[in-house]
Amino acid sequence: MSRATSWVFIAATAAALATGVRAQQRPAGFATSTTAVVVDVVVRDARGAPILDLKPSDFELLEDDVRQQVTSVELIAPGRPGRAAGGPPRGAQPSPAAPQPGVEPSPAGAGAAAGDAAASTGPTLIALAFHRLSAESRTLAWRAARSYVDGEIAPDDHAGVFVVDTRLQTLQAFTADREKLAAAVERAATTQTTTFARMPMLSGSYGDASPDVSPTAGAESHGRPTNDSGFQARPRMANDPGASRGGERQMFEMAERMENAYEEMMRDRNGHLETAALTALASGMAGLPGRKTVVFFSEGLSIPAAIEPKFRAVIETANRSNVTFYAIDAKGLRVHSEQAATARGLAAIRGVGDDDPARVEDNDKRRSRTSELERNEFLLRKDPAASLGILARETGGFLIDNTNDLASAFQRIDADRRFHYLLTYTPRNTLQDGTFRRIAVKVKRRGADVRARSGYAALPSLGAIPVLRFESNALSALARSPRPTEIALRGAAFDFPEPDGRTRVALFVTLPGSGVAYFVDDNKTSYQTHFTILARVVDEAGETVRKGSQPYRLTGPAASVHVARQGDILFYRQPALDPGRYQVEYALYDELSGQAGTGT
């Protein structure tokens, strides 16, 4: 991880008091476990119409299967003031607690008229995000987006247009200006994005053997038989009866390895870029209160095993920021099933369709079981109904696929945005231990369809800065009181003023190699570590303005584990800060021993 990309940069709001990093007392109430959770809940009847007459007693909310006391239920509906369907217990005082990630503090005076709260929520946001679409998909997405821009936009609606490619490109910042939005949608529909193309050499020689090749002929391929299992047997060896000359099988295997290696690298690359863009989009919308919406036009996401933690971070960031994703499979109505393509890919892994059992057994011996399982998992997630469906469902939205009428889908999305309930509760489990808390909402109405976000990570608030899953335990260590000191850490910060008035800070955290645990496998062939170091910079208001972290998965031969224990472990970052007074806090959490260390 490079120094430049390892820090999450947001605007610092500290006043210009002094240059450099200076120690300060921790603000009172900065780390607290008393929080209120606000959950957006969409309730529809069997016909898809919103249900607007529910009372607090009609709702049941569970966190990790434990029933919670709902203190406030507010109906959000257009053209009418909100109605407080409930309030906090009589005599309850507003909590001074800072909000927890993924949760918002209880509104002041939650038992007052909800119309006042509705009036103070500010503008509503909707982001139109176009993700690496083919020419045909861009046309369908354009029609759907124009149906929104040309329709009835509420006065407080602000929309933005973005392209998710090798970076997050802003075509139009959030605005209520229809002309600007229409122009940005036109640009999105005509912007050619980068696509993952198979290697031309292999596509010409062996391309039609790929499970990704459609049975439909096209410019890139003659297609494949519709009854093809997806597996193409390797040519027989030269000493087999009827084998071809010139080591054709070896040449086939070489080409197969090249294509597989290229495909794997491109999957990881695309996954890193896509998840980074989506995390930035969700975290950037966190600044405003209320429900935020992302309409995500895509043909599917790349989620190999290495990208799974970052994909989960997208969902957790969206839930913390109260952002709901609505995924639209922009390919529209498909001629051939994506499930059939997945089945062909799974068949290709196992060699289904080969008429020579001996060769299937030989293939199994040569293949790595680990890579086979990883490939199997990737194929199952590759189907847009899986990848896009998970993103939408776990953030409280839904997936629209297998239809060319994407414009009507916007009506369903708009209904969710304008007709929903806000449920507020204080969790019975008040620990900020970094665990994921599952949320389930039920209503006492027969045939009702209820949708809400899947849960939240119990972590201290970092404002708009996204939190990755591997950082949760280190952040929790900083939130504990007293802070843990089982592992001895040393930290130092040195400031270097720059010509633009900002200060570059060199931040070091060190510890002896003997301070963490080492796992040696049963065969005593190798060792590994599993710990994370995190540092954050806090301003005078108690807000985190910079954060950096690094997971350490060190490995080596078991015979050298004593050498690793004798060395030092170094964590180094160099963030840039505006003039002000800051406090640097750092933590290490060791997954193997369950111990932690902190410092300031």
Side-chain angles (χ1 to χ4, degrees):
M1 184 179 297
S2 69
R3 298 171 182 171
T5 60
S6 60
W7 283 85
V8 180
F9 291 91
I10 64 172
T13 59
L17 300 177
T19 302
V21 177
R22 302 176 186 175
Q24 65 173 2
Q25 294 297 318
R26 185 177 183 80
F30 179 70
T32 177
S33 59
T34 305
T35 56
V37 180
V38 180
V39 184
D40 294 2
V41 182
V42 175
V43 187
R44 299 284 181 263
D45 62 18
R47 297 173 300 171
I51 298 176
L52 305 178
D53 60 346
L54 295 175
K55 303 182 296 295
S57 58
D58 293 325
F59 288 92
E60 181 182 9
L61 191 147
L62 305 176
E63 181 179 291
D64 288 342
D65 298 325
V66 177
R67 186 169 182 173
Q68 308 291 315
Q69 177 65 43
V70 178
T71 58
S72 174
V73 177
E74 180 184 345
L75 171 64
I76 304 298
R80 56 182 290 181
R83 175 176 57 86
R90 182 170 299 178
Q93 297 297 322
S95 170
Q100 191 170 321
V103 302
E104 299 178 3
S106 294
D116 298 337
S120 63
T121 56
T124 58
L125 298 183
I126 177 170
L128 309 178
F130 296 75
H131 169 235
R132 290 184 180 166
L133 302 179
S134 61
E136 295 82 0
S137 297
R138 289 200 301 272
T139 300
L140 291 177
W142 169 79
R143 291 174 182 168
R146 281 305 300 259
S147 71
Y148 165 76
V149 174
D150 296 338
E152 295 184 4
I153 300 180
D156 60 347
D157 250 10
H158 284 64
V161 182
F162 305 87
V163 171
V164 176
D165 194 10
T166 55
R167 61 187 178 93
L168 179 62
Q169 182 179 359
T170 301
L171 300 186
Q172 175 58 55
F174 290 101
T175 180
D177 190 319
R178 292 194 186 199
E179 292 185 2
K180 291 182 179 180
L181 291 174
V185 169
E186 294 290 337
R187 287 180 57 196
T190 55
T191 298
Q192 175 65 48
T193 55
T194 58
T195 57
F196 165 58
R198 298 170 63 231
M199 298 178 69
M201 177 191 71
L202 301 183
S203 297
S205 303
Y206 303 107
D208 290 353
S210 170
D212 293 333
V213 174
S214 169
T216 304
E220 295 82 12
S221 169
H222 297 299
R224 59 185 304 124
T226 56
N227 61 349
D228 193 338
S229 69
F231 176 78
Q232 178 171 335
R234 292 174 175 80
R236 296 176 181 270
M237 292 294 290
N239 56 0
D240 287 345
S244 59
R245 296 179 301 170
E248 183 178 351
R249 174 169 172 174
Q250 286 89 339
M251 300 298 292
F252 185 100
E253 292 173 356
M254 179 186 69
E256 184 184 48
R257 288 193 300 270
M258 292 171 61
E259 181 160 359
N260 288 342
Y262 177 72
E263 180 185 13
E264 181 177 350
M265 288 186 290
M266 291 303 297
R267 286 201 312 262
D268 289 352
R269 170 187 176 272
N270 291 344
H272 282 292
L273 296 172
E274 292 164 356
T275 54
L278 293 178
T279 301
L281 184 61
S283 62
M285 299 173 70
L288 288 179
R291 183 184 180 96
K292 279 83 67 175
T293 301
V294 176
V295 180
F296 187 54
F297 298 99
S298 177
E299 298 179 11
L301 288 167
S302 178
I303 315 176
I307 306 302
E308 171 69 13
K310 294 191 174 183
F311 179 67
R312 300 306 309 179
V314 173
I315 296 174
E316 292 169 4
T317 301
N319 285 336
R320 277 195 306 275
S321 306
N322 204 17
V323 174
T324 300
F325 276 86
Y326 292 89
I328 297 182
D329 184 357
K331 271 193 175 181
L333 186 62
R334 286 174 165 84
V335 177
H336 299 286
S337 169
E338 285 295 314
Q339 285 76 16
T342 301
R344 289 196 302 267
L346 297 176
I349 293 177
R350 297 296 300 146
V352 176
D354 195 352
D355 58 357
D356 188 341
R359 283 207 304 277
V360 173
E361 181 180 358
D362 181 59
N363 292 341
D364 286 344
K365 290 179 180 178
R366 290 183 301 100
R367 284 194 180 105
S368 164
R369 287 294 184 187
T370 301
S371 62
E372 187 174 287
L373 290 173
E374 289 179 354
R375 172 70 178 173
N376 183 87
E377 186 73 13
F378 171 75
L379 288 169
L380 293 175
R381 291 179 182 149
K382 186 180 179 182
D383 184 350
S387 59
L388 297 179
I390 292 172
L391 176 64
R393 183 174 61 255
E394 296 199 12
T395 58
F398 53 77
L399 168 67
I400 298 170
D401 64 343
N402 207 28
T403 178
N404 289 339
D405 187 12
L406 304 184
S408 64
F410 252 96
Q411 299 175 3
R412 296 172 56 196
I413 295 174
D414 200 53
D416 276 11
R417 298 175 59 233
R418 305 197 181 281
F419 298 93
H420 60 273
Y421 292 88
L422 294 180
L423 274 61
T424 304
Y425 74 98
T426 299
R428 298 184 186 277
N429 183 357
T430 59
L431 295 178
Q432 295 184 351
D433 54 4
T435 59
F436 184 80
R437 309 284 171 78
R438 292 177 291 106
I439 294 176
V441 181
K442 304 176 183 179
V443 298
K444 299 174 183 177
R445 187 67 60 90
R446 180 173 297 178
D449 175 55
V450 182
R451 282 185 286 106
R453 58 189 170 111
S454 59
Y456 65 96
L459 290 169
S461 175
L462 293 185
I465 297 181
V467 177
L468 301 177
R469 176 61 64 91
F470 66 82
E471 298 173 337
S472 60
N473 286 324
L475 282 171
S476 297
L478 289 174
R480 286 159 57 183
S481 181
R483 288 181 172 177
T485 56
E486 296 101 341
I487 300 176
L489 302 176
R490 292 179 298 169
F494 305 92
D495 52 58
F496 300 91
E498 295 188 338
D500 62 358
R502 308 182 80 197
T503 296
R504 180 70 60 179
V505 178
L507 172 63
F508 298 84
V509 178
T510 64
L511 71 152
S514 58
V516 297
Y518 294 78
F519 171 78
V520 179
D521 60 27
D522 294 337
N523 297 326
K524 299 187 182 302
T525 57
S526 64
Y527 73 84
Q528 62 180 2
T529 66
H530 189 181
F531 62 92
T532 297
I533 297 178
L534 175 142
R536 65 183 182 185
V537 180
V538 181
D539 65 14
E540 287 191 301
E543 298 294 331
T544 300
V545 296
R546 298 289 188 274
K547 172 179 67 71
S549 64
Q550 178 68 52
Y552 290 78
R553 308 294 187 264
L554 308 178
T555 60
S560 302
V561 67
H562 68 285
V563 178
R565 288 194 173 104
Q566 293 173 0
D568 290 330
I569 297 170
L570 173 66
F571 174 88
Y572 171 71
R573 295 293 185 270
Q574 49 174 355
L577 299 173
D578 291 335
R581 296 173 62 88
Y582 302 92
Q583 178 170 287
V584 177
E585 303 173 339
Y586 49 91
L588 179 149
Y589 184 83
D590 190 351
E591 301 284 350
L592 296 181
S593 66
Q595 295 183 332
T598 56
T600 300

